[in-house]
């Protein structure tokens, strides 16, 4: 699985405008099979659990809220490349309507 950090870096979507790329990604995400959805959800949990643990630690260590905010801001940077990589194989290679 290749990781894509942007929808524009997916070869089949490079020529499309942003709104159309997002529509195609959303349609491809609906085609993910069970194990792929499970993998994506586990990855999301791996990122989200430390955020909540850090929030719980704010009563004893106020600096942990800064780390929680930082992890929250970096969440898309960790999850989106995996999501785009999993969805890329479900994107049809034919021309899209509305070009």
């Amino acid at each position: 699985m290749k990781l894509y950090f942007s929808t524009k870096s997916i070869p089949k979507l490079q020529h499309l405008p942003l709104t159309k790329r997002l529509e195609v990604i959303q349609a491809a995400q609906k085609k993910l099979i069970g194990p792929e959805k499970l993998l994506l959800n586990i990855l999301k949990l791996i990122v989200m659990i430390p955020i909540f643990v850090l929030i719980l630690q704010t009563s004893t260590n106020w600096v942990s809220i800064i780390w929680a905010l930082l992890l929250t801001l970096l969440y898309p940077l960790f999850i989106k490349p995996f999501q785009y990589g999993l969805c890329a194989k479900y994107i049809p290679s034919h021309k899209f309507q509305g070009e």
Side-chain angles (χ1 to χ4, degrees):
M1 173 180 70
K2 186 173 180 183
L3 299 179
Y4 299 101
F5 289 92
S6 168
T7 56
K8 195 160 191 131
S9 62
I10 300 173
K12 297 176 187 176
L13 300 180
Q14 289 177 342
H15 62 284
L16 296 174
L18 177 62
T19 54
K20 187 65 177 171
R21 287 194 311 256
L22 293 177
E23 288 176 16
V24 173
I25 287 290
Q26 187 176 19
Q29 189 171 356
K30 291 179 183 177
K31 295 178 183 177
L32 291 176
I33 60 173
E36 293 169 333
K37 288 180 185 178
L38 180 66
L39 174 66
L40 191 57
N41 287 332
I42 289 173
L43 289 173
K44 288 178 184 179
L45 278 174
I46 289 172
V47 175
M48 293 296 289
I49 289 173
I51 293 172
F52 288 110
V53 169
L54 287 168
I55 290 172
L56 288 172
Q57 290 181 355
T58 57
S59 63
T60 59
N61 183 8
W62 66 271
V63 178
S64 64
I65 194 73
I66 295 170
W67 287 107
L69 288 172
L70 181 65
L71 276 176
T72 303
L73 293 174
L74 294 176
Y75 174 80
L77 185 66
F78 293 126
I79 299 301
K80 289 298 180 183
F82 288 103
Q83 178 185 359
Y84 296 156
L86 288 172
C87 291
K89 64 183 173 184
Y90 294 106
I91 296 172
S93 57
H94 59 80
K95 290 200 172 236
F96 297 100
Q97 296 176 356
E99 289 185 19

